[in-house]
Every structure is written in structure tokens, then in C-alpha cells.
Amino acid sequence: MQGWIEHRREDGERLGWLRPDGDGFVPVDLLGRELSGPVDWLTGEELLESAGIGYLADRYELALADGRRLRVRLTEVSTERIVVKKDDFGAIDAPQLIYTLPFPIPESLRPV
């Protein structure tokens, strides 16, 4: 992430980064996913603005080491780690199953 340039929307919320690549920039979202190949600065900003942050509230599926798949929700996203928890649909008595994953988003975690 060294050299990545943070991009924030007008209200100060971080949307991602623009990663220098040759003469252009690659827009990268908060999960570390590249939104396109190298583009000019303004196009990179527009792509980050279009992506927004709504995907952080989506449900995801985590492939476990034993082959099972578990529906999860994101609880923490940073350049150090991504933390997810089993989607318990808001049940207050459900056991908390929490998994810490590396950044950027690993292949084992994907949107449902």
C-alpha cells in the first residue's frame, strides 16, 4: 500500500485508493480489489465514487478449510486485515463465529 493515494468522498469517508501504475492509476476499493486497469486520475476517482462503500454491507460467503461454505458479514476492514462473522441474521443468542482474513480480500471470501 506504500505509494497508494487515498481517495475520500466529500464527507471525508474513505472510498479506496489510486495506485500509481506507469502513466496511470489503478483504482482499488476498500477490500483491495482493483476496479479497473490503469486509467487517468479523474477516471480513477469516478470509478471509486461509483463503487461507493455499499458493498461493505453485503453478505459474503467464506470457503472454510474443511470445504464448507459459511455466509458471513464484514465487521472490520483495514489494510491490515478483514474480519468477518457468521451471518446470524441478528439473533442475539447465536454463537459468535469470527474469522480474521488477510488484506486484500482473499479468494476464499466472495460476495453472495
Side-chain angles (χ1 to χ4, degrees), residues 31 33 54-62 70-74 84-90 105 109-112:
L31 295 174
R33 300 178 295 191
Y55 59 87
L56 296 175
D58 291 344
R59 286 189 176 99
Y60 288 78
E61 183 179 76
L62 178 63
L70 183 66
R71 281 199 174 198
V72 297
R73 291 213 179 249
L74 303 173
V84 299
K85 75 177 214 89
K86 179 182 177 191
D87 187 5
D88 55 19
F89 304 98
I105 188 172
L109 183 63
R110 64 180 183 181
V112 173

Side-chain angles (χ1 to χ4, degrees), residues 5 7 17-28 36-48:
I5 303 159
H7 177 70
W17 302 269
L18 293 168
R19 180 175 53 79
D21 187 329
D23 291 335
F25 300 89
V26 175
V28 179
S36 75
V39 294
D40 63 78
W41 180 269
L42 290 177
T43 301
E45 286 186 322
E46 289 170 358
L47 287 167
L48 287 168

Side-chain angles (χ1 to χ4, degrees), residues 90-107:
I92 60 172
D93 58 348
Q96 297 287 310
L97 295 177
I98 298 173
Y99 300 87
T100 300
L101 308 169
F103 176 89
I105 188 172
E107 290 183 21

